Amino acid sequence: MTQASPFLVSVILLLLFQFINGEDPYRFFTWNVTYGDIYPLGVKQQGILINGQFPGPQIDSVTNDNLIINVFNSLDEPFLLSWNGIMQRRNSWQDGVFGTNCPIPPGGNFTYNLQVKDQIGSFFYFPSLAFHKAAGGYGGIKVASRSVIPVPFSPPAGDYTVLAGDWFKQNHTDLKAILDNGHDLPFPDGLLINGRGSNGFTFNVDQGKTYRFRVSNVGLTTSINFRIQGHKLILVEVEGTHSLQNTYDSIDIHLGQSYSILVTTDQPPKDYYIIVSTRFTTPVLTTTSALHYSNAVSGLDDTPPGGPTTEIDWSLNQARSLRRNLTASGPRPNPQGSYHYGLINTTRTIRVVNSAPVVGGKQRYAVNGVSFVLPDTPLKLADYFKISGVFSLGSIQDGPSGGVNLQTAVMAADFRGYVEVVFENPEDSVQSWHVDGHHFFVVGMDGGQWSEASRTGYNLRDTISRVTVQVYPKSWTAVYMPLDNVGMWNVRSENWARQYLGQQFYLRVYSPANSWRDEAPIPNNVILCGRAVGHQP
């Protein structure tokens, strides 16, 4: 009689345990990360592939699924993956940035064990170390609603992921060297849609049906505009929040942001351009894909139609039009509007001000006068093992300060606090900010200097909640954020050059209870590095 393998036995036992205990479903993934030749803009480059794919495999999941992702690092350097927009409830151990995780060493592997707890929506994963993001290694994440939860629109005929953003012809090692030498990146060479240049990708549709497009800006430096020739875009979801179903001709998507739109194929049968172009740049870069009707009688037109270019007011007004669907259920069977974010008193105001100082003749970027320096040990491990000298709380203040310091910036925060965060941008370029482990309510944005009087214009009724928000040049954006997730969380610029050169910090959300109710225990498979080596989990 053939004996079952230990792996098969363990899977069977796991499934039996899940059935008996009513545990949420498990989905298993095995990924091998390698280098490989890619030609996204017609030039041979060294790309980062996952299971031989660029972009990497999509994660299809359902609310509350447990995702077991075994990542083998076949590169010749350390590697980490992070999960843009996945909340990691009670579980910053799996966040996949250097502040929380030791890298996977070359030839090694690490199994991420994360849960899409109480989430729906469209997100993406990406490599977080060593400017690897410029080489690929990213992919889409889809979190569908459970079958018992109503969705505020009919099931679409198809569901497409669109990963778009700027791209450079230089290898990521060359781009990293430019930054390491104290210079800013050059202007991007082009734009990609799902890893390909102009007209390199086709989306097949049938006439008279409605399709869902999940569009993410996975680029490095540039805001983009997304549109489909001759078709209206109905916005239905913004980074996990069902939105009012406003109709747009095109949508601005800033760095790190994700949107879901519905498109009805109600035009004459032919091929239409899907267009992505840069915003607020000179020159304007454009790339296209094809929307191909199955009964098309003609191909693409000679030239794709234009779109918005440098108009900031146009983009600001569109951003203000985003509204939460108060009658729709989220990941649970209760209306999204039942959480009255505008009726809760904030406990603290944090002003986050970006700057671009030159330090020692080299370009750096800073937050509140502090340019982040990577520690020798992940902050989460240093905190857990009580290793002194890695970071100090209060190394970044709640507001701007004079001068600039190079430090490992960590800001203290109390679990279950409710904070007002004001992102202030005195520079001439648009900024994009992301907070790991949390969502926030975008209560206001405007030009000029923020003041306490600005609060009179806040939307305290039905604003959108999300995880990444833009701040326009010489402008501010205010958010309300519940600190409902214990852990060490990255707050960063989604402009990857600025993040790499210091425009980030960590928010330590702390609970004195030290309870598994508030935070999951340290994983058994945790990788130890730096001063954490030798400690016992």
Side-chain angles (χ1 to χ4, degrees), residues 130-451:
F131 224 65
H132 286 152
K133 191 178 180 185
Y138 55 74
I141 303 174
K142 179 175 71 175
V143 186
S145 295
R146 290 178 291 164
S147 59
V148 296
I149 307 297
V151 174
F153 49 88
S154 299
D159 193 320
Y160 289 115
T161 293
V162 180
L163 303 174
D166 56 19
W167 191 260
F168 295 81
K169 292 180 179 178
Q170 292 167 277
N171 285 340
H172 78 279
T173 51
D174 297 329
L175 297 174
K176 178 177 177 295
I178 291 172
L179 297 174
D180 289 340
N181 289 328
H183 304 293
D184 203 356
L185 294 181
F187 191 71
D189 294 299
L191 298 173
L192 303 185
I193 296 176
N194 289 353
R196 301 181 186 180
S198 282
N199 298 329
F201 203 91
T202 298
F203 297 87
N204 295 305
V205 296
D206 294 328
Q207 189 178 30
K209 296 183 178 179
T210 298
Y211 295 83
R212 183 173 184 168
F213 287 79
R214 302 171 185 264
V215 190
S216 296
N217 185 343
V218 297
L220 299 175
T221 65
T222 312
S223 299
I224 59 175
N225 180 266
F226 177 86
R227 54 197 183 274
I228 299 180
Q229 178 188 11
H231 293 73
K232 298 295 186 181
L233 312 179
I234 300 176
L235 185 66
V236 293
E237 178 246 329
V238 178
E239 295 168 9
T241 299
H242 289 307
S243 65
L244 280 187
Q245 295 178 16
N246 295 335
T247 299
Y248 301 96
D249 292 322
S250 68
I251 293 179
D252 278 355
I253 307 174
H254 303 276
L255 289 164
Q257 293 184 341
S258 299
Y259 291 87
S260 274
I261 59 174
L262 297 180
V263 177
T264 299
T265 52
D266 54 4
Q267 298 301 300
K270 63 182 294 291
D271 288 352
Y272 295 90
Y273 283 107
I274 295 176
I275 308 149
V276 173
S277 57
T278 56
R279 290 288 268 124
F280 322 120
T281 66
T282 303
V284 174
L285 300 177
T286 300
T287 195
T288 59
S289 289
L291 185 75
H292 172 68
Y293 279 41
S294 58
N295 60 340
V297 295
S298 61
L300 293 168
D301 295 339
D302 291 338
T303 305
T309 55
T310 60
E311 307 90 343
I312 292 174
D313 287 347
W314 185 98
S315 187
L316 174 62
N317 289 333
Q318 182 180 83
R320 286 171 169 166
S321 73
L322 303 183
R323 293 288 187 270
R324 190 181 184 92
N325 188 335
L326 296 179
T327 62
S329 293
R332 294 182 297 273
N334 61 292
Q336 297 197 79
S338 64
Y339 182 67
H340 296 296
Y341 71 93
L343 300 179
I344 303 172
N345 292 326
T346 56
T347 56
R348 177 181 177 186
T349 296
I350 302 170
R351 295 171 58 203
V352 175
V353 182
N354 52 269
S355 59
V358 175
V359 180
K362 293 186 175 183
Q363 181 67 64
R364 296 288 301 183
Y365 296 99
V367 185
N368 291 355
V370 181
S371 186
F372 187 84
V373 177
L374 284 176
D376 60 11
T377 304
L379 305 173
K380 183 62 184 169
L381 295 180
D383 199 26
Y384 179 81
F385 292 122
K386 296 181 171 54
I387 302 170
S388 62
V390 176
F391 71 91
S392 60
L393 293 175
S395 48
I396 182 171
Q397 302 301 312
D398 283 11
S401 60
V404 59
N405 297 308
L406 272 64
Q407 294 191 53
T408 302
V410 180
M411 184 180 291
D414 295 328
F415 181 44
R416 295 191 176 128
Y418 190 67
V419 299
E420 174 189 42
V421 182
V422 183
F423 297 100
E424 301 180 44
N425 177 19
E427 298 183 63
D428 293 326
S429 58
V430 65
Q431 304 293 314
S432 189
W433 286 96
H434 177 89
V435 182
D436 278 351
H438 294 79
H439 72 278
F440 46 72
F441 300 88
V442 184
V443 294
M445 57 175 61
D446 206 351
Q449 182 72 40
W450 178 87
S451 69

Side-chain angles (χ1 to χ4, degrees), residues 89-91 93 380 384 515-523:
R89 304 282 186 193
R90 304 172 47 249
N91 200 19
W93 302 108
K380 183 62 184 169
Y384 179 81
S515 167
W516 286 10
R517 177 198 63 190
D518 297 336
E519 185 174 29
I522 188 171

